[in-house]
Amino acid sequence: MNEIESRYRAWRSRPDLDPALAAELASIEGQEAAITDRFYRDLAFGTGGLRGVLGAGTNRMNIYTVRKATQGLADYLNATDLPKRVAIAHDSRHNGDLFARETARVLAANGITACLYPRLEPTPALSWAVRYLGCGAGVCVTASHNPAKYNGYKVYGSDGCQITLEAAEKILAAIEAVDIFEGVRLDDYDKAMQDGLIQLIGEDCLDAFVDAVYAQRVGDGEGIDRLNLVYTPLNGSGLECVRKLLGKLGVTHVTVVPEQEKPDGDFPTCPYPNPEIREAMQKGLELCDKVHPDLLLGTDPDCDRCGTAVPDGKGGYRLITGNEMGIILLDYICRTRLARGTMPKDPVAVTTIVSTDMATPVAKKYGVELRRTLTGFKFIGEQIGNLEAEGHAERFIFGFEESYGYLSGGHVRDKDAVNATLLVCEAAAWYAAQGKTLLDAIEGLYKEYGYYRNALSSFTFEGESGMHTMQALMAGLRKDPPKEIAGYAVETALDYDAEGTGLPKADVLEYRLAGGHKFMVRPSGTEPKIKVYMSAVADSEAAADAVNAALGEAAARMMKG
């Protein structure tokens, strides 16, 4: 009997196994591929925590993998001088409430106070709670924008930022030392509540979070109360906080997309509840055709990403990309703070290596230092922490990433779609006062700086064989680097997994091409995908998009090996 079969038999032989998981394992008896996929590895834990398909097995999200991860987190926390208190939140995904309670039970059994939000709340509200409550760590049960079959377990440090590479390695070592069944300590939920080791987070914490977002206002708010919005929380956790914020701003003309208003872990209107994808925003766009708002706003299930659509001047609506909105907001924040005299000395903006190169000339125009980090908003949050440690937290004015993540203050250390809602509304109202839309805004910026256009292609590699294929593709690119891509000569190649990049090592390859174009290859840290980021600059939108189309075809050929 091999190790995979041994694991399968060990799970099946447990008389106390969760009945639903036991039934699932019984249903795959004799199915080698199905058994292998569930047991060939432990669900990977990294700086993004855990994320995987719901179900039975060591390579699935279930109460046992959640308990094991939490026991490792507890052992790590108890070996440090950090506060023995952990904030916990969850979004609308299946088993979110269950996994949050199981996390609390394990923490309580290890003498650590677990503080739970009493209902689903956004990821940024969890980041806020960690520092507001003086916690040593935080856990958010979410799979962000993944399909309905996924859930996840994000771990945050005491600074409210997703854990660092160093902390992730220590927590992983602690997790690996835990037997998934016999090594976990578990308290009774009701008893732990009575003993005060499990506590519900009070309304004051959430209200303070919304107040902190409201305090990030950049302009004077002129005209913001006249905005007419359509909003969709994509059946996730954003509705409560977004509504509270809009109320404080005086935005009363808000129509919520009815099919996507209530929390629903099945996400019945779209297979990928991600505002980056047009299909997820389609119900909102259809409602726009009836309501004719100034803006369509969409937040993903854990409300850390924000998507936007605006009138296209032809009777329809056009989606604004993450890179475009990042540039609109960077420019708006800079010009407004300079005009109002609120720009700090030596201001800093932060973005990622895969986000648009257009940020460079915009930051330069306003005298802003632009820092680039690895992919993942935790690295942007880390930069905020560094500035705070230097005694100059005020220098941070904005951070964004191409995947619809934005943050304009240090109130949290993760991307914040509630904060993004504030910024988008402010910018839209400012441009409306000039008779312009956000589409006019980005067009004007393109004319000033050049048409920087970006595209993303994702290639999926499922299961154990897929993981090996991904590794082989990346190894092949390193062994035999391309000399040209889509006919454009590779002028420089940068391997972020090598020394000398000035950043932590990462499995990312960057190719700078003739003409100022860029091509980057990166395996996802949370999904079985290789992502290829393409960036082109030209004197027209059509010309830049044509370059990206050619690069996309080259990427497809490359990913076939």
Side-chain angles (χ1 to χ4, degrees), residues 42-50 65-80 82 86 103 107 112 136-139 153-159 161-179:
D42 288 345
L43 197 62
F45 182 92
T47 57
L50 300 172
T65 51
V66 167
R67 287 173 181 173
K68 178 177 178 176
T70 308
Q71 183 62 56
L73 174 62
D75 291 342
Y76 161 79
L77 199 57
N78 278 329
T80 71
L82 292 166
V86 175
T103 299
L107 292 170
I112 297 169
V139 172
Y153 179 101
K154 286 184 182 178
V155 180
Y156 288 75
S158 60
D159 58 355
C161 193
Q162 285 190 55
I163 52 172
T164 63
L165 297 169
E166 181 183 1
E169 290 175 0
K170 291 180 179 178
I171 295 170
L172 175 59
I175 292 171
E176 289 178 337
V178 173
D179 180 272

Side-chain angles (χ1 to χ4, degrees), residues 276 323 352-355 375 402-403 454-458 508-509 511 518-524 530-535 548 551 555:
E276 295 180 67
N323 276 314
T352 68
I353 57 174
V354 299
S355 298
T375 308
E402 95 300 334
S403 54
N454 300 271
L456 171 66
S457 293
S458 293
V508 183
L509 298 170
Y511 305 101
K518 186 171 68 173
F519 188 94
M520 300 187 74
V521 184
R522 180 183 78 89
S524 170
I530 288 181
K531 296 184 176 183
V532 179
Y533 301 82
M534 294 152 286
S535 175
N548 280 333
L551 294 176

Side-chain angles (χ1 to χ4, degrees), residues 21-294:
L21 300 182
E24 179 185 336
L25 293 179
S27 73
I28 61 170
E29 176 76 40
Q31 299 178 33
E32 184 178 346
I35 292 170
T36 297
D37 189 42
R38 286 165 174 79
F39 289 98
Y40 78 91
R41 65 169 188 169
D42 288 345
L43 197 62
F45 182 92
T47 57
L50 300 172
R51 190 177 300 186
V53 174
L54 291 158
T58 57
N59 188 36
R60 291 289 188 269
M61 281 293 296
N62 53 62
I63 59 173
Y64 304 107
T65 51
V66 167
R67 287 173 181 173
K68 178 177 178 176
T70 308
Q71 183 62 56
L73 174 62
D75 291 342
Y76 161 79
L77 199 57
N78 278 329
T80 71
D81 294 328
L82 292 166
K84 306 305 181 277
R85 176 185 292 265
V86 175
I88 305 169
H90 69 89
D91 64 12
S92 60
R93 289 185 175 273
H94 292 307
N95 292 341
D97 179 56
L98 171 64
F99 292 164
R101 288 168 64 96
E102 293 300 296
T103 299
R105 292 176 66 196
V106 174
L107 292 170
N110 286 273
I112 297 169
T113 302
C115 303
L116 282 84
Y117 272 114
R119 55 191 176 274
L120 78 170
E121 296 296 354
T123 288
L126 183 278
S127 175
W128 167 264
V130 170
R131 291 197 298 162
Y132 183 83
L133 300 172
C135 296
V139 172
C140 193
V141 179
T142 175
S144 189
H145 57 283
N146 282 56
K149 67 180 181 179
Y150 284 82
N151 209 334
Y153 179 101
K154 286 184 182 178
V155 180
Y156 288 75
S158 60
D159 58 355
C161 193
Q162 285 190 55
I163 52 172
T164 63
L165 297 169
E166 181 183 1
E169 290 175 0
K170 291 180 179 178
I171 295 170
L172 175 59
I175 292 171
E176 289 178 337
V178 173
D179 180 272
I180 196 166
F181 293 115
E182 307 303 331
V184 176
R185 292 188 284 278
L186 199 63
D187 209 344
D188 177 79
Y189 185 88
D190 292 332
K191 179 181 179 298
M193 283 280 287
Q194 292 174 1
D195 294 342
L197 282 168
I198 296 178
Q199 301 173 1
L200 297 182
I201 296 174
E203 295 299 310
D204 61 305
C205 180
L206 195 68
D207 288 342
F209 163 65
V210 177
D211 288 345
V213 174
Y214 182 69
Q216 304 306 317
R217 299 185 313 285
V218 180
D220 58 11
E222 178 67 28
I224 203 167
D225 58 334
R226 294 192 290 274
L227 286 177
N228 184 357
L229 306 184
V230 166
Y231 169 63
T232 172
L234 294 180
N235 300 116
S237 64
L239 187 64
E240 181 181 10
C241 288
V242 168
R243 267 187 163 156
K244 283 187 175 187
L245 174 71
L246 292 174
K248 291 179 75 69
L249 289 171
V251 180
T252 57
H253 304 293
V254 182
T255 305
V256 180
V257 177
E259 301 93 334
Q260 298 173 333
E261 180 172 6
K262 295 181 180 178
D264 188 337
D266 286 325
F267 308 113
T269 61
C270 53
Y272 286 87
N274 183 351
E276 295 180 67
I277 300 172
R278 186 180 185 88
E279 187 176 5
M281 301 287 275
Q282 187 59 39
K283 290 295 182 184
L285 291 166
E286 291 169 6
L287 188 57
C288 286
D289 291 336
K290 300 174 183 177
V291 176
H292 306 294
D294 302 307

Side-chain angles (χ1 to χ4, degrees), residues 94 181 344 386 399 408 419 431 437:
H94 292 307
F181 293 115
N386 292 342
S408 66
N419 182 202
Y431 277 102
T437 68

Side-chain angles (χ1 to χ4, degrees), residues 481-502:
K483 294 180 174 58
E484 60 84 27
I485 300 174
Y488 296 96
V490 174
E491 294 184 339
T492 61
L494 183 61
D495 184 353
Y496 284 90
D497 202 32
E499 301 288 348
T501 67

Side-chain angles (χ1 to χ4, degrees), residues 253-444:
H253 304 293
V254 182
T255 305
V256 180
V257 177
E259 301 93 334
Q260 298 173 333
E261 180 172 6
K262 295 181 180 178
D264 188 337
D266 286 325
F267 308 113
T269 61
C270 53
Y272 286 87
N274 183 351
E276 295 180 67
I277 300 172
R278 186 180 185 88
E279 187 176 5
M281 301 287 275
Q282 187 59 39
K283 290 295 182 184
L285 291 166
E286 291 169 6
L287 188 57
C288 286
D289 291 336
K290 300 174 183 177
V291 176
H292 306 294
D294 302 307
L295 287 172
L296 165 64
L297 294 173
T299 55
D300 69 339
D302 67 326
C303 194
D304 61 357
R305 299 177 185 222
C306 181
T308 310
V310 298
D312 63 5
K314 304 172 185 176
Y317 284 78
R318 179 204 188 271
L319 294 168
I320 303 290
T321 72
N323 276 314
E324 288 176 332
M325 185 55 72
I327 293 300
I328 290 170
L329 296 179
L330 175 61
D331 176 80
Y332 167 73
I333 289 168
C334 290
R335 69 167 65 237
T336 304
R337 293 191 68 159
L338 283 169
R340 290 171 59 84
T342 58
M343 182 71 93
K345 183 181 179 183
D346 301 322
V348 173
V350 190
T351 190
T352 68
I353 57 174
V354 299
S355 298
T356 178
D357 283 351
M358 191 173 176
T360 301
V362 175
K364 183 178 179 181
K365 173 184 175 179
Y366 293 109
V368 173
E369 178 190 345
L370 183 69
R371 299 181 181 181
R372 289 193 181 267
T373 70
L374 295 179
T375 308
F377 217 90
K378 57 183 168 285
F379 296 111
I380 296 176
E382 192 174 49
Q383 289 297 316
I384 302 172
N386 292 342
L387 289 169
E388 187 177 76
E390 295 166 8
H392 293 290
E394 80 289 346
R395 290 180 61 196
F396 173 76
I397 61 167
F398 186 54
F400 81 94
E401 60 184 3
E402 95 300 334
S403 54
Y404 292 57
Y406 317 100
L407 182 67
S408 66
H411 60 292
V412 296
R413 300 296 164 83
D414 207 343
K415 52 186 176 283
D416 180 0
V418 187
N419 182 202
T421 297
L422 166 76
L423 296 172
V424 173
C425 287
E426 278 204 301
W430 187 83
Y431 277 102
Q434 303 169 59
K436 297 180 179 179
T437 68
L438 294 180
L439 187 56
D440 297 322
I442 191 61
E443 182 63 25

